[in-house]
Structure formats: C-alpha cells, structure tokens
Amino acid sequence: MTSIATAGASVTEQHAAIAGARPWQRLVLLAVGLLVALGLPWFVYPPVAMDIAAWALFAVALDLLLGYCGLLSFGHAAFWGGSAYVTGLIAIHLGVPFPVAVLGGALFAMILAVPIGYLSVKRSGIYFAMVTLAFAQMLFFIANQASSLTGGENGLQGVPRSFFGIEAVETDAFFFYYAALPIILLGMWAAWRIVHSPFGRVLVAIRDNAPRARALGYDVERYKLVAFVLSAGLSGLAGGVFALSHGFVALPELHWTTSGEVVLMTVLGGIGTLWGGVIGAGLIVMLADYLASSGFDGIGIVTGGVFVTVVLLFRRGIWGTARHLWLSRKG
C-alpha cells in the first residue's frame, strides 16, 4: 500500500506534464501506439497479441479508478469475468455478431457495478479494497454453484465469435484480432476522454482532497460511483473480447488473483498514466507466455520478482519514471 500511495502522489505532477505536452508530441505518441497495436500480431502469436490488448484495456480501466480517483479495487475481476460469462452466453444462445455480445457483457458489468459501487465508495483505502474483494468472491461462488448456466468448474465452452458470416474472422485468430481491435481502441479512447474532461479533473480533485471538493459543492460519493461504473464498463469490454478470443470462459476469470494481476500491471507501468497500464500488461503477458512456452512452472515467482524490483527502483512505474526523467532532462 505504501508504494501505491507513493506512486499516486506523483499523479498530479504527471497530469500537469501531460497538459503541458506539445500537441505534436501527443500525436507522435499516439501514432506509435497505433502502429504497435496494428503490427503486434505480425510479431507475436495472434492469440497472445489479443491477450495483450484485452489486458491493456483492463489495466487502463483500473487505472481510471486507482490513478485518477484514488480507489484501489481488488474486485475488478467481477466485471472482467462477469462480462466474459455474459458475453459467452449471449454469443452461444443468441448467435449475434461478437461486437453485440461484447457490448452486452459490458452493459452487464456496468449494471453489476452500481450496487457494488454504491456500497463500496462509502469506504476508502484498505476498507474499500476489502469490500470490493468480498463482492468479487461472492460472484465467484455464485458462478461456481450455477453450473447449469456457467459450466461450473468445467467453464463455459464453445463460445463462438460470429461476425456477419465472415469465416476468416470467425476461425482465424489473426483476422479476429483486427476485427476486435476497434473495440479495444474505443475503450482506450473513452478512458482518455474521461480523464481529460471536466469530470476527470473533479476526480483528481477528489482524490487529492475529498473534504475540500465536498466543501466546494461536489457530491464526492456520486462522482466516485460514476467513476466506478465507468471503470467496470471498460473492464467488461476487455473481458468480453478476452472470452471470445479464447472461445472459453473459466472460473479463474472471476477469482481475486485476476484482480491482483491487473493491479500488478497497472502499478508496474505507472499509476495515473493510462499508458503505463498498456506497458505493464504487455510486459506481464509476454513474460508469462515466454515462461509457459519454456515449460517453467513458477511464473508467479518471476512476475512477482519483476514487480518488487520495479516498485523499489522505479517508484512511479516504468512509464511514469521514463516520462519524469524525460521532463527533468528537458527542464
């Protein structure tokens, strides 16, 4: 928690740096990001590329809550996994094009987030984290028991990715990546737009000093709830795409370890940066895939070691530290 608090303290400085960045610098950064996204399946196994994209959006969604609202959630697996199950069920039973199924899953995640967020945002710090964790584990238990609907421990199998009868997209992971990428990019754009809107600036004010924001007339709990629901919706988009990419939804998608993994990615890349979540997701997914391909079983040991090293040496995360050094050099 100390490292998260330390990293969070630098978010205001980073936010100011973004505001002061030149337009051409932002455009170059955006162009590089788009080129990497478009070229990824040419250099990485397409299903792994899709995993990177989905986890990147998931990390960005969490960063919206953690970096810009100051709320550490250990229950976001409920929205990632819940949307994955609903997306899979819609795709299986209704046979609609997969973007519709993904939107249905994201809508479910947002609806689910309303009661969870309403009860959670009244707390802060470790209490907020524990309340969200408890709700996520409740959903995990429900999914495990409702085996007739979710498949229980066997998971939800045979999830199709229908796309207007275009066989290449429906059967080839390479083409599916490009068909699903616009959904990921739309989610990224939505997160960026939220952060750079007046609403996003109020969230930062609430994170920095909630009593002062309340004294200025802002309904702090309502703003936190809206941020929570928006973060859940973006997590749902990511979870739905992930489920379709694998054609399978398993119980671990709802487990607390999934929440912990996305927190690791976000902190690793840099809290309150948005780009940091993308970098953290890419690093962790590719590292895990490389270790699994090598037959190494202790993946958690390595990723945990990387996390500890980065937290100790780069308190702002990888992207946050790199940007800080760049700005210091310019100054």
Side-chain angles (χ1 to χ4, degrees):
M1 293 294 291
T2 303
S3 64
I4 293 176
T6 303
S10 67
V11 174
T12 302
E13 174 187 340
Q14 296 169 356
H15 194 69
I18 293 174
R22 296 177 182 178
W24 70 267
Q25 293 175 327
R26 292 196 293 267
L27 288 175
V28 168
L29 187 62
L30 178 61
V32 171
L34 285 174
L35 285 174
V36 171
L38 291 172
L40 196 59
W42 291 90
F43 303 98
V44 179
Y45 186 46
V48 176
M50 194 74 264
D51 283 359
I52 292 173
W55 278 100
L57 178 56
F58 192 17
V60 166
L62 180 71
D63 196 26
L64 177 64
L65 194 65
L66 175 58
Y68 295 90
C69 206
L71 297 174
L72 173 60
S73 170
F74 273 118
H76 258 47
F79 312 121
W80 162 274
S83 173
Y85 272 105
V86 171
T87 298
L89 289 170
I90 292 175
I92 291 171
H93 296 292
L94 298 183
V96 296
F98 77 80
V100 178
V102 171
L103 290 176
L107 179 61
F108 170 80
M110 295 179 75
I111 294 172
L112 179 65
V114 173
I116 294 177
Y118 179 79
L119 296 173
S120 301
V121 298
K122 299 179 184 297
R123 302 290 181 263
S124 60
I126 191 64
Y127 302 104
F128 174 85
M130 291 299 101
V131 171
T132 54
L133 173 62
F135 278 115
Q137 288 303 102
M138 286 174 56
L139 192 63
F140 174 86
F141 176 79
I142 293 172
N144 189 27
Q145 294 299 310
S147 57
S148 60
L149 182 65
T150 64
E153 294 182 352
N154 295 322
L156 190 64
Q157 303 179 26
V159 177
R161 46 194 189 204
S162 303
F163 192 67
F164 307 104
I166 302 177
E167 186 178 353
V169 173
E170 297 174 352
T171 59
D172 193 318
F174 180 85
F175 293 105
F176 173 75
Y177 175 88
Y178 287 105
L181 184 61
I183 298 176
I184 300 294
L185 295 179
L186 177 63
M188 298 283 190
W189 176 84
W192 181 89
R193 189 66 189 90
I194 291 167
V195 165
H196 292 85
S197 69
F199 173 79
R201 294 184 176 88
V202 173
L203 291 182
V204 173
I206 291 172
R207 183 208 61 213
D208 290 342
N209 195 322
R212 180 177 295 178
R214 189 176 285 108
L216 290 173
Y218 294 108
D219 190 333
V220 172
E221 280 69 33
R222 180 175 295 179
Y223 273 89
K224 287 183 178 180
L225 176 59
V226 173
F228 190 85
V229 173
L230 291 173
S231 177
L234 295 177
S235 300
L237 282 179
V241 171
F242 184 84
L244 290 164
S245 175
H246 286 256
F248 175 79
V249 186
L251 278 174
E253 308 309 329
L254 288 168
H255 199 254
W256 69 268
T257 52
T258 298
S259 298
E261 190 169 357
V262 74
V263 170
L264 183 152
M265 293 175 179
T266 306
V267 176
L268 187 65
I271 296 174
T273 64
L274 294 186
W275 281 104
V278 177
I279 292 174
L283 178 62
I284 294 299
V285 172
M286 291 189 68
L287 180 60
D289 177 69
Y290 173 77
L291 293 174
S293 306
S294 303
F296 184 74
D297 294 329
I299 296 176
I301 298 174
V302 177
T303 55
V306 171
F307 175 72
V308 171
T309 302
V310 170
V311 166
L312 290 176
L313 298 180
F314 310 106
R315 302 302 292 271
R316 293 177 173 86
I318 296 173
W319 179 258
T321 299
R323 187 169 59 190
H324 176 73
L325 292 174
W326 170 257
L327 292 173
S328 299
R329 181 184 175 184
K330 288 176 63 180

